Amino acid sequence: MASDTRLRERTLEELRETSLKLSRQIIEITTRAGSGHPSSSLSAIDILTVLYFGGVMRYDICASWMAWKRRPVRSVKDSLSALDMRWQPAWTGATTASTS
Amino acid sequence: MIGDGEADQGQIWEASMAAAKYKSSNLTAILDYNKYQQTGPVDEVMPALKPIAEKWRAFGWHVREIDGHNVSEILEALDEVRQVKDRPQMIIASTLKGKGLSPFEADDVNRKHGEPLTEEEKQIALAELDEMLQRS
């Protein structure tokens, strides 16, 4: 729960700034790769930022995928390039990305 | 997290019926309602998706509509739906593909769906994002 509390302390301004920085990354990596869905990633980036940096998704950064207390469910939408779930542990500071 | 173009597909509605049947109150779906899919505007590709909120209500879900770029509204909606204990919840988040970024907004067909920016477009978009960051 400690990580949950810490994430909650991010202010709305910090969340907006995080979202803009991640938007930069979405554009950088998709152009560099010459592939991906940047516009579909950008439309969801504020939502994803709140979920993963706003203290909504509870997780243990040292534990495995199954240890998420609020688990993300993959869909066609999630599998789009820069929003891929495999990226998200990296975004949120986790060192293990065992999401299959 | 699901997409509006994705909601053309049958598995979304099968899952929606099953979640309502089992009163899956621990399931919260967020629809990224960005209005464009691969082959064009969602309204043209699948006009019957509207009225979108009413559809999920009719399927027995708790539905909340928000601005998907307003972080405060997103947090409020998630707090609200967490109180719902008898049914699954759908948050319909109205969004834009590449909000405020001219290379995306200039494309009236599908807002560059599935299309990375060129190097030149990238420089324009990054400059626009940096301006937003400076203002924030």
Side-chain angles (χ1 to χ4, degrees):
Chain A
M1 250 3 123
S3 58
D4 199 24
T5 309
R6 183 169 48 79
L7 285 167
R8 271 288 182 197
E9 288 170 1
R10 277 187 194 235
T11 64
L12 295 177
E13 287 70 29
E14 285 169 330
L15 286 172
R16 288 187 198 105
E17 191 182 325
T18 300
S19 176
L20 289 170
K21 287 179 176 169
L22 291 170
S23 298
R24 266 189 136 273
Q25 289 185 27
I26 287 168
I27 291 168
E28 294 266 19
I29 63 175
T30 49
T31 294
R32 186 178 298 181
S35 171
H37 291 63
S39 65
S40 311
S41 303
L42 290 167
S43 65
I45 195 60
D46 293 308
I47 298 162
L48 267 291
T49 299
V50 169
L51 288 177
Y52 288 92
F53 296 88
V56 178
M57 304 302 289
R58 292 193 212 140
Y59 60 94
D60 178 343
I61 60 169
C62 297
S64 73
W65 169 246
M66 294 303 287
W68 288 69
K69 292 193 178 66
R70 288 188 188 137
R71 287 168 56 192
V73 181
R74 301 197 66 158
S75 75
V76 172
K77 176 84 204 171
D78 287 323
S79 64
L80 298 176
S81 67
L83 286 181
D84 193 300
M85 287 294 179
R86 282 165 292 188
W87 282 82
Q88 289 157 9
W91 290 0
T92 52
T95 51
T96 53
S98 55
T99 63
S100 82
Chain B
M1 186 98 192
I2 61 174
D4 48 5
E6 182 181 14
D8 291 354
Q9 300 176 11
Q11 82 275 11
I12 294 292
W13 301 101
E14 294 170 26
S16 295
M17 283 189 285
K21 174 184 174 181
Y22 293 109
K23 301 187 184 346
S24 305
S25 60
N26 62 343
L27 178 66
T28 300
I30 303 174
L31 177 80
D32 180 9
Y33 193 22
N34 62 29
K35 324 289 189 305
Y36 287 88
Q37 62 193 91
Q38 191 162 7
T39 49
V42 171
D43 276 354
E44 288 175 22
V45 176
M46 192 55 76
L49 192 61
K50 278 186 173 173
I52 197 163
E54 283 78 354
K55 276 197 182 54
W56 263 289
R57 283 197 190 97
F59 272 65
W61 286 52
H62 176 91
V63 178
R64 168 85 186 258
E65 293 178 86
I66 61 165
D67 170 357
H69 294 301
N70 183 322
V71 292
S72 171
E73 263 190 58
I74 299 165
L75 276 167
E76 278 171 29
L78 288 163
D79 282 342
E80 177 201 296
V81 301
R82 210 167 292 138
Q83 309 308 314
V84 178
K85 301 296 182 195
D86 62 346
R87 59 189 65 202
Q89 312 98 44
M90 174 63 68
I91 296 173
I92 297 175
S94 284
T95 59
L96 296 167
K97 296 173 88 148
K99 185 185 180 192
L101 304 178
S102 54
F104 296 101
E105 292 183 337
D107 181 353
D108 288 333
V109 178
N110 63 5
R111 298 288 191 269
K112 287 192 176 293
H113 182 105
E115 193 185 326
L117 299 184
T118 63
E119 275 296 328
E120 192 182 5
E121 291 168 333
K122 180 185 91 172
Q123 296 306 332
I124 295 168
L126 291 182
E128 289 168 340
L129 273 172
D130 286 342
E131 208 171 296
M132 292 180 209
L133 265 167
Q134 278 169 10
R135 281 203 306 265
S136 73

